[in-house]
């Protein structure tokens, strides 16, 4: 089976691409509405709780992903907090945001790399191609997040979104 997540690294830029079998407006809503995000965001076996979500320019998205799968060994019970600040919104074509690791209070991590991101949604017939472009401060920061398993975790959660979208397009 061909890898569905296409990735490319150029210097300090990580670009990923995924095509969903759903219309653009539905996919855009899945990424930009709190109740949808909580249903699929995070790798398989992880549950996401969103504490703040204000999808407006300058708005904050603060959330916790928690591993609830005992089969994931040392990850079981682990929490991973994230914080995004929305920079620009052009619905349903794109949005831009800063993305950071954080703690439960929303304080941004100084140890883990943050990035500036643009997510674009392109209608391809009745499907949607989503391109994720992440600009990091250094090439080392890109390597760090990839070594942390970001590609594998992101692939897992995009598969979850595929399943979530399939349930809604059949109904």
């Amino acid at each position: 089976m061909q890898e569905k997540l296409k990735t490319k690294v150029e210097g300090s830029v990580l670009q990923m691409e995924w095509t969903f079998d759903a219309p653009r407006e539905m996919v855009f809503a899945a990424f930009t509405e709190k109740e949808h995000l909580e249903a699929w965001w995070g790798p398989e076996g992880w549950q996401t709780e969103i504490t703040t979500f204000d999808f407006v320019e300058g708005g904050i998205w603060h959330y916790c992903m928690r591993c609830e799968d005992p089969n994931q060994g040392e990850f079981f019970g682990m929490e991973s907090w994230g914080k995004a600040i929305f920079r620009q919104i052009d619905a349903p074509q794109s949005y831009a945001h800063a993305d950071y690791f954080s703690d439960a209070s929303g304080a941004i991590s100084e140890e883990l790399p943050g990035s500036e991101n643009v997510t674009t949604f392109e209608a391809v017939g009745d499907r949607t191609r989503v391109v994720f472009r992440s600009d990091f401060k250094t090439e080392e920061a890109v390597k760090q997040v990839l070594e942390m398993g970001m590609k594998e975790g992101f692939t897992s959660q995009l598969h979850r979104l595929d399943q979530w979208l399939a349930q809604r397009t059949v109904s």
Side-chain angles (χ1 to χ4, degrees):
M1 182 172 126
Q2 184 178 3
E3 178 64 42
K4 194 169 177 184
L5 182 67
K6 297 176 184 171
T7 59
K8 177 171 62 171
V9 176
E10 290 182 354
S12 61
V13 175
L14 170 62
Q15 183 168 304
M16 299 179 290
E17 179 183 309
W18 189 278
T19 301
F20 295 96
D21 292 322
R24 180 171 68 173
E25 289 72 17
M26 180 182 282
V27 176
F28 188 84
F31 277 89
T32 60
E33 296 179 17
K34 178 184 177 186
E35 62 276 6
H36 299 330
L37 279 166
E38 284 185 323
W40 68 269
W41 188 263
E44 197 67 44
W46 293 64
Q47 186 65 37
T48 296
E49 175 188 350
I50 296 175
T51 59
T52 305
F53 191 81
D54 190 17
F55 188 66
V56 297
E57 292 181 10
I60 303 291
W61 173 25
H62 184 226
Y63 62 93
C64 176
M65 296 185 301
R66 191 172 292 108
C67 183
E68 297 183 342
D69 180 2
N71 295 322
Q72 291 192 21
E74 65 186 37
F75 293 110
F76 179 64
M78 179 180 173
E79 290 186 350
S80 179
W81 286 87
K83 182 176 185 177
I85 303 167
F86 296 107
R87 305 281 196 215
Q88 186 176 16
I89 298 169
D90 183 17
Q93 289 84 9
S94 66
Y95 67 90
H97 71 285
D99 188 45
Y100 305 101
F101 291 91
S102 75
D103 65 15
S105 72
I108 294 169
S109 171
E110 298 293 326
E111 292 81 41
L112 298 171
S115 58
E116 290 289 334
N117 304 276
V118 177
T119 305
T120 58
F121 301 80
E122 178 187 348
V124 183
D126 58 353
R127 303 174 80 211
T128 305
R129 178 182 304 120
V130 182
V131 177
F132 310 92
R133 178 188 167 99
S134 299
D135 289 279
F136 291 85
K137 287 187 179 178
T138 65
E139 291 181 33
E140 291 73 30
V142 175
K143 290 177 187 166
Q144 182 179 1
V145 296
L146 290 173
E147 287 171 0
M148 291 169 60
M150 191 274 277
K151 180 181 174 187
E152 295 80 5
F154 199 51
T155 298
S156 177
Q157 72 186 47
L158 293 176
H159 280 296
R160 288 182 68 191
L161 177 54
D162 270 339
Q163 294 165 0
W164 186 87
L165 289 166
Q167 293 170 352
R168 271 130 200 89
T169 54
V170 170
S171 309

